[in-house]
């Protein structure tokens, strides 16, 4: 079968869910107004190894007033000491927007993630040893629909960094007054559906790869990783649509891991269900995402797939149907709850 579909380097194991780097606090940001920064060591907390995340405040750009402020605690694992940064806001002038694609950061120990999701694995850290020592470059940004706040500054955007670390960083970490990066394109025109959720949200995620490559489909590869952190083969694609951990579960895992799917009857297929051929090797295993029946006779259906020699596709198929490829079996993602 030409629609190759396995993981790399082998299709016999399921990739593990990597966790974010330990030892740092949750992501923080100061409000766009700042007058002073006071840092002091708290020996008792340091001895206890405690770290406290920042407190969320009012919406970005609307500080409570000249006397409003935000306090955060950060953990310095290198020195095994806990520090507190007390920030006060003032009525001073707002910092001018940084040049497009090149921006200053603030604070310490901001996590850079594998995908545009603060719950995805960590791939690096900004301002690891000192506050605000890094400048970042970004080529695009994603509106995740999930708000991250620090003090009175909030943003739903995550920037795709090309330096000094490649990955996704909350725009809250960038030292600008806006809730998004000025002059940097928003991928998808203003929002990406998030992991989990409804069947339609899964199909919406699947559809993003049809145009994610500068208006064209994501090319197929068993060895490459797309910019969102998922493998560019069929199981990586299905994992992306389901919101599974990057770089994606392999085809066998999608069919056999009962925390991900369960077998169903062919007549039970609903939008977002999977048809999987888990037999053979990495040259013939394959998975497609069912969208809808094409007729009342159920003689064909429309599906999303990532196939060899083409890339992301949305087309009519008969895999698993009478007269089609009998190796394909229907499965239901358990995330849908039915």
């Amino acid at each position: 079968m030409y629609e190759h579909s396995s993981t790399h380097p082998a299709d016999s194991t399921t990739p593990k869910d990597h966790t974010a780097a330990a030892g740092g606090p949750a992501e923080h940001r100061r409000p766009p107004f700042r007058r002073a920064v006071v840092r002091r060591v708290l020996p008792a907390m340091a001895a206890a190894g405690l770290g406290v995340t920042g407190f969320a405040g009012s919406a970005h750009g609307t500080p409570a007033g000249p006397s409003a402020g935000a306090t955060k605690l950060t953990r310095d694992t290198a020195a095994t000491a806990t520090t507190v940064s007390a920030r006060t806001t003032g009525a001073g002038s707002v910092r001018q927007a940084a040049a497009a694609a090149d921006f200053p950061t603030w604070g310490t120990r901001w996590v850079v993630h594998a995908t545009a999701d603060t719950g995805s694995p960590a791939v690096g850290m900004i301002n690891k040893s000192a506050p605000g020592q890094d400048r970042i470059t970004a080529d695009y940004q994603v509106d995740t629909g999930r708000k991250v706040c620090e003090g009175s500054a909030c943003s739903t955007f995550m920037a795709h960094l090309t330096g000094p670390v490649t990955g996704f960083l909350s725009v809250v970490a960038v030292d600008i007054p806006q809730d998004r990066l000025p002059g940097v394109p928003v991928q998808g025109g203003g929002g990406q559906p998030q992991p989990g959720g409804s069947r339609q949200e899964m199909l919406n995620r699947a559809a993003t790869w049809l145009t994610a490559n500068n208006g064209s489909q994501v090319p197929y590869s068993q060895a490459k990783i797309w910019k969102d952190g998922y493998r560019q083969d069929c199981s990586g694609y299905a994992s992306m649509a389901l919101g599974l951990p990057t770089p994606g579960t392999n085809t066998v895992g999608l069919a056999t891991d009962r925390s991900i799917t369960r077998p169903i009857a062919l007549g039970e297929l609903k939008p977002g269900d999977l048809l999987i051929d888990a037999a053979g090797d990495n040259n013939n295993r394959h998975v497609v995402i069912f969208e809808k029946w094409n007729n009342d006779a159920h003689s064909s259906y429309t599906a999303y797939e990532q196939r060899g020699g083409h890339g992301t596709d949305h087309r009519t198929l008969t895999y698993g149907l009478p007269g089609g490829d009998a190796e394909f079996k229907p499965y239901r993602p358990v995330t849908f709850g039915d």
Side-chain angles (χ1 to χ4, degrees):
M1 180 184 304
Y2 63 85
E3 295 89 359
H4 305 315
S5 58
S6 72
T7 67
H8 89 286
D11 197 39
S12 58
T13 59
T14 301
K16 295 180 180 178
D17 180 10
H18 301 286
T19 57
E27 297 184 344
H28 302 300
R29 180 186 184 154
R30 66 167 174 79
F33 300 90
R34 178 176 64 180
R35 193 178 276 174
V37 176
V38 179
R39 297 177 63 85
R40 56 194 174 95
V41 176
L42 302 180
M45 294 188 70
L50 297 178
V52 183
T53 60
F55 299 97
S58 58
H60 183 201
T62 55
S67 63
T71 301
K72 71 169 184 174
L73 302 179
T74 61
R75 182 178 181 183
D76 182 355
T77 55
T80 62
T82 302
T83 60
V84 60
S85 298
R87 293 184 171 84
T88 59
T89 60
S93 61
V94 178
R95 175 189 292 271
Q96 294 297 314
D102 181 12
F103 302 90
T105 55
W106 75 279
T108 58
R109 305 186 69 80
W110 291 90
V111 175
V112 179
H113 294 273
T115 68
D117 179 359
T118 55
S120 67
V123 294
M125 188 172 288
I126 296 297
N127 302 346
K128 187 173 183 179
S129 58
Q133 88 271 25
D134 292 327
R135 291 186 70 90
I136 57 100
T137 55
D139 55 356
Y140 67 92
Q141 58 191 322
V142 175
D143 187 352
T144 68
R146 293 181 175 181
K147 185 181 292 186
V148 175
C149 295
E150 166 63 18
S152 62
C154 297
S155 178
T156 60
F157 286 82
M158 293 191 74
H160 179 255
L161 307 190
T162 57
V165 180
T166 300
F168 289 87
L169 175 70
S170 171
V171 171
V172 177
V174 184
D175 194 8
I176 56 174
Q178 297 94 328
D179 65 351
R180 69 188 71 184
L181 302 181
V184 175
V186 177
Q187 188 183 72
Q192 294 287 332
Q194 293 302 296
S198 69
R199 294 175 178 273
Q200 188 57 53
E201 286 172 336
M202 178 191 177
L203 295 176
N204 289 346
R205 285 194 293 271
T208 61
W209 273 28
L210 289 170
T211 57
N213 186 27
N214 295 320
S216 298
Q217 72 270 25
V218 173
Y220 179 90
S221 174
Q222 293 188 28
K224 295 180 180 179
I225 301 293
W226 188 240
K227 63 181 65 175
D228 59 8
Y230 290 93
R231 290 187 324 274
Q232 294 172 217
D233 57 13
C234 71
S235 54
Y237 174 59
S239 296
M240 179 278 295
L242 281 169
L244 299 178
T246 57
T249 301
N250 61 32
T251 309
V252 173
L254 290 173
T256 61
D257 188 336
R258 291 296 164 259
S259 69
I260 301 175
T261 65
R262 64 177 180 84
I264 60 172
L266 195 62
E268 296 179 57
L269 281 168
K270 296 180 181 180
D273 289 338
L274 305 177
L275 288 110
I276 305 174
D277 175 2
D281 59 23
N282 65 333
N283 290 316
N284 52 35
R285 286 189 288 254
H286 197 44
V287 54
V288 301
I289 302 168
F290 179 89
E291 182 192 26
K292 62 182 180 180
W293 292 108
N294 293 334
N295 52 47
D296 293 339
H298 290 186
S299 61
S300 69
Y301 56 86
T302 301
Y304 291 95
E305 66 175 332
Q306 182 75 357
R307 61 187 179 96
H310 180 83
T312 316
D313 208 350
H314 183 219
R315 61 174 183 160
T316 293
L317 294 173
T318 59
Y319 298 155
L321 303 183
D325 191 327
E327 294 293 333
F328 283 82
K329 307 299 181 185
Y331 296 84
R332 174 152 299 159
V334 297
T335 188
F336 298 141
D338 59 356

